[in-house]
Amino acid sequence: EEFAVILPGADPAAARTVAEALRRRIEDLALPHDGNEAVGVVTISLGVATVTPSHDVAPTTLVELADQQLYRAKAGGRNRVEG
């Protein structure tokens, strides 16, 4: 499943801090996940992206950038933040 957290006005460092806090909180819940052989609990991977709106930036750019970072996080081992 995928979802978005929109943080108006957040710079890249703030967005990454929020993402890392979310990742830790989900991991700390220690929800059993038999399909996750690596750690045995539910974890999340997050892709972080920030965009300053302008006429030169397509409306889909933010989602596309975040999606690229998400797949980078998954490829890098999951349960991580990229971006």
Side-chain angles (χ1 to χ4, degrees), residues 60-79:
T60 58
T61 300
L62 179 60
V63 172
E64 290 167 357
L65 292 173
D67 199 51
Q68 289 171 9
Q69 294 302 324
L70 171 61
Y71 285 97
R72 188 171 164 207
K74 288 180 177 184
R78 300 181 180 244
N79 191 28

Side-chain angles (χ1 to χ4, degrees), residues 20-53:
E20 182 58 32
L22 288 170
R23 188 203 62 75
R24 272 195 319 271
R25 287 181 182 173
I26 295 297
E27 186 178 39
D28 288 347
L29 290 172
L31 300 170
H33 187 308
D34 292 336
N36 186 340
E37 297 173 9
V39 291
V41 297
V42 173
T43 62
I44 59 174
S45 297
L46 298 101
V48 176
T50 58
V51 172
T52 301

